[in-house]
Amino acid sequence: MRSSKPTRSQKKRKLKSAQLGEVYAVLKKSFGHQAWWPGDTPFEVMVGAILTQNTAWTNVEKAILNLKKAKKLSFGALRRISKKELAQLIRPAGFFNLKADRLRCFLDFLDRECRGDLQKLRLKAMPDLREKLLAVKGIGPETADSMLLYALGKRSFVIDAYTRRIFSRHGLVPVTAHYETWREVFTRALPGDLDLYNDYHAQIVRTAKNYCRKAPRCESCPLCRFF
DNA sequence: GCCCAGGTGGGTA
DNA sequence: TACCCACATGGG
């Protein structure tokens, strides 16, 4: 059967925030524990978080590979190259001029906060650290939360386009609601630990890529039971 | 050729 | 505050 939008009857039931734990259990059972963000080091994760803004991950991989081949995927190396050279290396990730500027603002931030030592950055307390990241030009809430969760080990739930798509279709929160509204819904409902936040977002990505696509495949989706 | 992809900041009403 | 738009490449 061709992929289709949720049917009228499927739209009837609205997911409640109290069910978010149950949703996670279903996804984990379907996909297994993901424990995830593609990246070998915290620095690579943070760079990837900027490069993936509104961009397919496959394109980000090409940019990361370019940086690795050129031996520029470190704080010190990136500090030393020009904006032009950086932009060319990350070209496959799209918006390369914009992202080169954003990466350089991020490097300035690292220099100011911890001299590029992510172990030191990790020691800084929340929510102060989140506020500092959000003050960096080019780092919005999703990028900040991805960095906090996947690179710095902070319990900060990530809301992305996938999260909004899946859970707005299930009637949890309107898709147009503000980022912080979405984040509060998940944070209040999930008093879980770091690993839960990490894996939950990974499960969301898996679900959206496989089932809750632009044209949804509800028939085979593990979450169809919640409609 | 067209659509889409793990956002963000600046401009305008 | 709430939209609208620019920013760009690569895969399906």
Side-chain angles (χ1 to χ4, degrees):
Chain A
M1 186 173 140
R2 195 189 172 285
S3 51
S4 59
K5 289 184 177 178
T7 64
R8 185 180 290 269
S9 62
Q10 280 173 326
K11 280 181 180 170
K12 270 185 182 171
R13 284 174 60 201
K14 280 193 174 186
L15 193 70
K16 299 283 188 289
S17 60
Q19 294 176 279
L20 286 175
E22 191 187 344
V23 166
Y24 173 67
V26 167
L27 293 177
K28 191 177 178 185
K29 196 174 177 187
S30 296
F31 302 134
H33 190 260
Q34 304 284 304
W36 156 104
W37 174 293
D40 296 334
T41 64
F43 185 74
E44 183 179 330
V45 169
M46 296 178 100
V47 169
I50 290 174
L51 292 180
T52 199
Q53 290 171 354
N54 203 37
T55 299
W57 182 255
T58 49
N59 288 3
V60 176
E61 285 178 329
K62 296 176 201 302
I64 297 263
L65 192 62
N66 283 348
L67 291 169
K68 283 183 174 173
K69 280 182 179 168
K71 299 195 185 302
K72 303 299 182 191
L73 192 49
S74 68
F75 172 75
L78 282 186
R79 281 296 264 178
R80 286 189 289 273
I81 64 176
S82 66
K83 183 200 154 182
K84 195 176 170 185
E85 187 181 353
L86 175 56
Q88 283 312 305
L89 286 167
I90 64 171
R91 192 183 178 96
F95 307 121
F96 49 86
N97 288 313
L98 186 67
K99 286 174 181 175
D101 279 333
R102 289 179 179 178
L103 282 171
R104 285 161 70 85
C105 287
F106 171 60
L107 294 172
D108 287 343
F109 162 80
L110 288 185
D111 196 22
R112 280 198 309 276
E113 285 299 319
C114 60
R115 295 281 165 195
D117 183 348
L118 294 187
Q119 293 298 338
K120 281 186 188 166
L121 195 64
R122 216 177 242 272
L123 297 176
K124 297 189 183 280
M126 291 278 277
D128 208 45
L129 181 55
R130 186 171 191 264
E131 293 304 316
K132 285 179 174 174
L133 279 169
L134 289 174
V136 178
K137 192 173 168 182
I139 298 183
E142 182 186 331
T143 306
D145 289 331
S146 298
M147 289 178 169
L148 289 164
L149 182 60
Y150 290 107
L152 301 175
K154 304 294 184 182
R155 208 177 65 104
S156 199
F157 204 91
V158 178
I159 304 296
D160 60 2
Y162 292 153
T163 315
R164 286 197 189 86
R165 189 199 288 164
I166 295 169
F167 291 96
S168 63
R169 281 174 175 173
H170 280 269
L172 180 72
V173 179
V175 72
T176 50
H178 290 150
Y179 186 96
E180 298 301 335
T181 303
W182 274 94
R183 186 167 177 266
E184 267 192 38
V185 168
F186 280 85
T187 303
R188 284 183 194 200
L190 302 169
D193 59 11
L194 179 67
D195 180 72
L196 174 78
Y197 276 38
N198 180 319
D199 193 45
Y200 206 137
H201 180 64
Q203 302 286 356
I204 285 171
V205 172
R206 180 89 182 252
T207 306
K209 283 186 174 175
N210 292 357
Y211 302 101
C212 207
R213 302 149 69 104
K214 202 95 179 179
R217 298 174 175 173
C218 299
E219 322 77 50
S220 50
C221 178
L223 299 185
C224 67
R225 71 170 76 172
F226 291 100
F227 275 125

